[in-house]
Amino acid sequence: VQLQASGGGLVQAGGSLRLSCAASGSIPSVNVMGWYRQAPGTQREVVAAITTVGAINYADSAKGRFTISKDSSKNTIYLQMNSLKPEDTAVYYCNIIGVGPRDYGRVYWGKGTQVTVSS
């Protein structure tokens, strides 16, 4: 499975960015796809996740500002980030986790995309 993330960049505080992550290959049929981020000197943390059937969860830091969505026909998830803050600066990663009986526990990560929010 390959995951290709894109859409990062430099934006001023209060601005918006939209990240995309396209999955290809032997994608687990029942899965959770998510966005994580890692700032320098910190652990990677989950930002938002969406299941095969569309159930969504957000980290508290993302609620009200970020929106995760997916286009199942393209095996792609998106993260719309609004009202960005300097503390959102991090490398953002997407991943996919198999949660069905055949693929349970399979985890794949994409290469990250840098998001930098200037004050």
Side-chain angles (χ1 to χ4, degrees):
V1 175
Q2 293 79 43
L3 297 167
Q4 182 65 50
S6 61
L10 173 64
V11 64
Q12 288 189 330
S16 299
L17 283 174
R18 188 190 193 214
L19 306 183
S20 300
C21 176
S24 61
S26 300
I27 301 166
S29 57
V30 184
N31 62 66
V32 179
M33 293 187 72
W35 288 100
Y36 291 69
R37 68 185 183 186
Q38 187 169 19
T42 69
Q43 290 188 332
R44 193 172 296 186
E45 61 179 8
V46 63
V47 177
I50 185 167
T51 71
T52 310
V53 296
I56 291 173
N57 274 298
Y58 293 101
D60 287 343
S61 59
K63 290 178 181 176
R65 299 188 300 126
F66 295 180
T67 302
I68 189 170
S69 60
K70 70 186 299 182
D71 184 336
S72 297
S73 67
K74 298 179 180 179
N75 293 316
T76 298
I77 61 169
Y78 306 93
L79 187 68
Q80 178 67 44
M81 303 187 293
N82 299 327
S83 303
L84 283 162
K85 305 174 182 180
E87 51 263 44
D88 294 318
T89 296
V91 178
Y92 283 70
Y93 300 87
C94 60
N95 85 345
I96 184 167
I97 303 171
V99 294
R102 188 178 68 181
D103 305 307
Y104 191 83
R106 290 170 56 194
V107 183
Y108 303 91
W109 290 93
K111 293 182 180 179
T113 184
Q114 176 71 47
V115 171
T116 302
V117 184
S118 63
S119 58

